[in-house]
Amino acid sequence: MSDFKKIVAANWKMKLNVGQSLELADAMASQFQDFSKQEVVICPDFLTLSLVGEKIKKTALKLGAQDMFWEERGSYTGEISPADLKELGCQYVILGHSERRGYLDEDYSIINKKVKAALKVGLTPIMCVGEKEEEKNNGQRDEVLQEQIRQGLSDIKLDAGQSLVLAYEPIWAIGSGQAIKDSDIQGSYSAIRSALKEILPEQHNEVFTIYGGSVDSDNVSQFAQAEEIDGLLVGGASLEAGEFFRIADNMIK
Ligand code: PGA
């Protein structure tokens, strides 16, 4: 079991050019200079990953990637090796983000291979799940989340020292300015927990269940108070160091 209780990760997506990523890394390094609370992770794009890693290495901030391939080495043109991410100082990797599921047709059999490969090299996977708006409106939310978890975590076993993060990101909440309502937290996370109990009967307590989708410093207290939520995956609001600091500082007590 990890020695920290909450995790807040910044997902910069493909929103910044190289210069902007480096500037933001500098701003994060100075904003988080005296911040010692665990566990805050920055996930830049691949091209700036090692440069950003250099800039934040004197702080408590951790480095994460936004994706990776499921093999460590071989004839896989254009792909990114999990072993190389590890070598470059990454500790986390986001897997199965809905933007990759949507634009690149990633499904949970692919995501499952990636989760296994990440654990194998010692990266902590942040596996994303989340329902579409129409699935929510049709009352299919719980069923969709549970099936995603069953497939994504099929045949997974956590060895000593390995952690797993499950990010619940309702697709309709991402970048929409409309986060999940308080009244929906309990229902969705209890569906998630029961699927985790089924798939990892002895280790479900070791899985961090975090939330992502339109989190900002105005609504963070809602998530900080929710017992079910062990952390946050932050997109838009992680692109400004002061705003991201307020979120992390409020979330992690
Ligand atoms: P958002 O993105 O915070 O901009 O809604 C979250 C995510 O996609 O991880």
Side-chain angles (χ1 to χ4, degrees), residues 96-115:
H97 190 283
S98 58
E99 286 150 13
R100 299 193 60 81
R101 282 184 271 142
Y103 296 119
L104 293 150
D105 286 339
E106 268 196 26
D107 62 20
Y108 281 94
S109 68
I110 290 178
I111 297 162
N112 178 251
K113 289 198 258 186
K114 293 186 174 186
V115 172

Side-chain angles (χ1 to χ4, degrees), residues 11 13 97 99 169 173-175 213-215 233-236:
N11 177 9
K13 309 192 179 184
H97 190 283
E99 286 150 13
E169 298 206 303
I174 294 176
S214 296
V215 173
L233 183 53
V234 187

